[in-house]
């Protein structure tokens, strides 16, 4: 995941709201440094279910169009903290 952020392959990162404080800080710092939009919300079970996998703490979206679509949808949801 960090490799996708460092290479700017990630166009959007989604981080579970129940991630550890250390993980939250790490991804906030990395996404901020590399100017990758970050969404914090939901929980690890919801993120995993959304991609058909077991629990996931972080997801990277690599398709620009898909990232834009998700970002627009997230702006209207109250259960997420959106960080640009």
């Amino acid at each position: 995941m960090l490799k996708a952020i460092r290479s700017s392959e990630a166009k959007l990162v989604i981080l579970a709201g129940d991630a550890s404080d250390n993980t939250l800080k790490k991804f906030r710092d990395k996404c901020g440094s590399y100017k990758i939009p970050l969404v914090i919300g939901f929980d690890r079970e919801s993120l995993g279910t959304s991609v058909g996998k077991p629990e996931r703490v972080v997801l990277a979206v690599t398709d620009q169009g898909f990232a834009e679509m998700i970002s627009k949808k997230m702006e209207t949801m109250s259960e997420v903290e959106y960080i640009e």
Side-chain angles (χ1 to χ4, degrees), residues 5-54:
I5 294 170
R6 287 186 196 112
S7 69
S8 294
E9 182 181 356
K11 306 304 181 200
L12 173 70
V13 173
I14 304 171
L15 186 62
D18 61 352
S20 71
D21 290 340
N22 185 42
T23 300
L24 287 167
K25 181 179 180 348
K26 181 187 338 182
F27 280 95
R28 277 187 171 167
D29 292 349
K30 285 293 179 198
C31 288
S33 295
Y34 290 91
K35 300 192 180 0
I36 306 293
L38 174 67
V39 173
I40 300 173
F42 309 107
D43 59 34
R44 60 187 71 214
E45 186 176 333
S46 296
L47 288 183
T49 300
S50 71
V51 294
K53 302 284 184 180

Side-chain angles (χ1 to χ4, degrees), residues 59-77:
L59 300 174
V61 179
T62 58
D63 180 86
Q64 184 64 44
F66 193 42
E68 289 171 7
M69 183 182 72
I70 292 171
S71 294
K72 286 181 184 177
K73 185 67 175 173
M74 293 289 182
E75 290 173 5
T76 64
M77 300 180 81

